[in-house]
């Protein structure tokens, strides 16, 4: 009796170990790795601070220089850099964006200026601003921070897109797991795909309804949010169907380990991807939650700019999951057919030649 109980409890034990182990290893001490920042102005203005900064931060930050503050603002607004530092801003430079709410603002700013975009990630803003705050303190100056893409008033914690992405991912792999658990082989592959597609429509609409019209936490072009949700459920669901061909009863553990425990820190939705360990950073462009969270953030804060590449990534996950499942099932059916034919042939009695009558 003890052994069956122990076998049953292996699953929750493994889930707890994976959750604590992966999340803690990835996010317990976020440290920047080549986080991109810029210094804007003439060569005489940008040269000394950029050189000093590169020497101070090493590989933690990638420090580039740009010739104009307009170019710096474009880089920040398009998420090409996490922050842009202006050592000698003009009065017009100080009017761009809104005051950064996470930073104390001088009543009469006269020191350097830092452009950020909280919509690209509030945690990333804090990390990107740190070296420039240190420089300002060392020079006895007050750093002014202007936010070019501020957070929504209904998303001040910058967690709405992350939780929406988690919910859609859960809907994807749990739908596939439940269909396999309840129906097993009785549900055909075609019906499984149709069920996940239909469920994806309902799940996407429900997540949009709760986070948007009801709570107001996620806003933007509703059809784009619905497409992102449906593609997420299809991508994760069909990939989980393929995993079930190999993992059997352990499919839930494999799916949650891949699509949640690894994908969440790798997505950059909670903490900047540049602050994650190297193995997690390597998964950033591979796992579907990156595309889900990225799509929702682009819809909400960046007018859906560049969303096509995220949708393409999700579509490729869905297509690959279905294609690999078809290939695996076809190969297994052929092997089963050959084995059955071989067994039938071996089971047939050998016919002996009839004796030839002697003359």
């Amino acid at each position: 009796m003890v052994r069956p109980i122990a076998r049953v409890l292996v699953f929750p034990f493994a889930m707890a170990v994976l959750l604590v182990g992966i999340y803690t290893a990835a996010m317990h001490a976020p440290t920047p790795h080549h986080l991109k920042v810029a210094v804007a102005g003439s060569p005489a203005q940008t040269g000394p601070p950029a050189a000093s900064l590169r020497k101070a931060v090493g590989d933690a930050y990638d420090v580039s220089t740009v010739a104009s503050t307009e170019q710096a603002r474009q880089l920040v607004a398009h998420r090409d850099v996490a922050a842009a530092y202006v050592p000698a801003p003009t009065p017009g430079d100080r009017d761009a964006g809104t005051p950064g709410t996470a930073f104390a603002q001088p009543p009469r700013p006269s020191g350097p200026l830092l452009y950020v975009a909280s919509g690209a990630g509030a945690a990333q803003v804090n990390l990107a601003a740190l070296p420039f705050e240190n420089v300002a303190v060392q020079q006895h100056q007050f750093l002014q921070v202007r936010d070019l893409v501020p957070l929504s008033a209904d998303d001040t914690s910058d967690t709405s897109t992350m939780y929406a992405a988690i919910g859609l991912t859960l809907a994807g792999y749990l739908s596939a797991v439940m269909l396999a658990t309840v129906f097993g082989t009785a549900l055909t592959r075609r019906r499984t795909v149709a069920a996940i597609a239909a469920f994806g429509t309902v799940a996407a609409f429900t997540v949009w309804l709760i986070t948007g019209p009801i709570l107001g936490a996620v806003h933007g072009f509703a059809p784009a949010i619905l497409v992102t949700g449906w593609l997420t459920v299809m991508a994760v669901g069909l990939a989980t169907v393929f995993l079930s061909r190999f993992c059997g009863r352990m499919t839930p553990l494999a799916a949650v380990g891949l699509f949640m425990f690894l994908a969440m820190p790798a997505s950059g939705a909670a903490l900047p991807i540049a602050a994650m360990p190297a193995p997690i950073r390597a998964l950033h462009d591979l796992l579907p939650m990156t595309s889900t969270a990225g799509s929702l953030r682009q819809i909400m804060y960046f007018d859906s700019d560049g969303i096509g590449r995220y949708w393409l990534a999700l579509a490729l996950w869905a297509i690959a999951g279905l294609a690999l499942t078809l290939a695996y099932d076809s190969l297994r059916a052929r092997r089963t057919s050959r084995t059955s034919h071989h067994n039938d042939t071996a089971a047939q009695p050998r016919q002996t030649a009839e004796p030839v009558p002697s003359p």
Side-chain angles (χ1 to χ4, degrees):
M1 187 66 180
V2 175
R3 286 185 178 180
I5 294 176
R7 289 176 182 175
V8 170
L9 295 179
V10 165
F11 180 80
F13 175 76
M15 291 276 283
V17 170
L18 284 174
L19 173 64
V20 174
I22 294 176
Y23 280 8
T24 304
M27 297 187 287
H28 75 287
T31 303
H33 302 275
H34 299 284
L35 184 62
K36 294 181 179 181
V37 295
V39 181
S42 67
Q45 294 171 337
T46 60
S52 176
L53 198 60
R54 290 189 186 105
K55 184 178 180 180
V57 301
D59 293 335
Y61 296 81
D62 280 347
V63 184
S64 60
T65 59
V66 294
S68 69
T69 54
E70 176 62 28
Q71 185 180 359
R73 288 192 290 270
Q74 290 180 359
L75 290 174
V76 173
H78 288 88
R79 303 176 64 181
D80 293 320
V81 298
Y85 179 72
V86 185
T90 65
D93 294 333
R94 298 186 185 279
D95 294 332
T98 61
T101 57
F103 306 89
Q105 298 296 304
R108 295 178 181 177
S110 59
L113 172 67
L114 186 69
Y115 290 123
V116 298
S118 296
Q124 176 175 270
V125 165
N126 295 329
L127 203 61
L130 182 60
F132 300 108
E133 290 179 313
N134 293 337
V135 169
V137 169
Q138 292 170 3
Q139 297 177 351
H140 304 288
Q141 295 177 317
F142 208 123
L143 180 67
Q144 183 188 11
V145 180
R146 301 294 291 184
D147 199 337
L148 302 179
V149 187
L151 292 172
S152 165
D154 297 312
D155 184 37
T156 54
S157 66
D158 191 32
T159 57
S160 299
T161 56
M162 179 184 71
Y163 288 129
I166 290 174
L168 291 166
T169 301
L170 279 169
Y173 72 74
L174 284 180
S175 60
V177 166
M178 291 305 297
L179 288 172
T181 301
V182 175
F183 296 101
T185 57
L187 193 65
T188 65
R189 186 174 54 237
R190 181 176 297 179
R191 289 187 177 181
T192 298
V193 174
I196 293 175
F199 177 74
T201 302
V202 175
F205 178 80
T206 304
V207 169
W208 166 78
L209 183 66
I210 294 172
T211 60
I214 294 178
L215 298 178
V218 176
H219 57 77
F221 189 47
I225 296 174
L226 295 174
V227 169
T228 298
W230 185 80
L231 285 174
T232 300
V233 175
M234 292 298 291
V236 177
L238 294 181
T240 302
V241 170
F242 175 63
L243 282 178
S244 69
R245 300 302 196 261
F246 296 94
C247 301
R249 294 181 179 180
M250 299 305 290
T251 299
L253 182 62
V256 75
L258 180 63
F259 298 122
M260 186 62 65
F261 295 162
L262 286 173
M264 203 280 280
S267 69
L271 291 174
I273 188 60
M276 295 292 100
I280 297 297
R281 295 200 307 273
L283 298 173
H284 176 66
D285 292 325
L286 300 177
L287 297 179
M289 191 183 289
T290 297
S291 296
T292 305
S295 293
L296 294 175
R297 190 175 289 278
Q298 293 299 99
I299 294 167
M300 190 165 175
Y301 291 113
F302 298 92
D303 296 324
S304 300
D305 180 41
I307 198 174
R309 65 186 181 93
Y310 292 127
W311 285 0
L312 177 60
L314 291 172
L316 289 176
W317 265 95
I319 293 170
L322 180 57
L324 290 172
T325 301
L326 290 170
Y328 178 86
D329 290 351
S330 177
L331 182 60
R332 186 174 181 181
R334 289 181 182 179
R335 288 180 177 178
T336 303
S337 177
R338 289 176 182 176
T339 303
S340 176
H341 177 71
H342 176 74
N343 292 337
D344 291 344
T345 302
Q348 292 178 0
R350 293 183 180 180
Q351 295 183 358
T352 58
E354 295 183 2
V356 179
S358 59

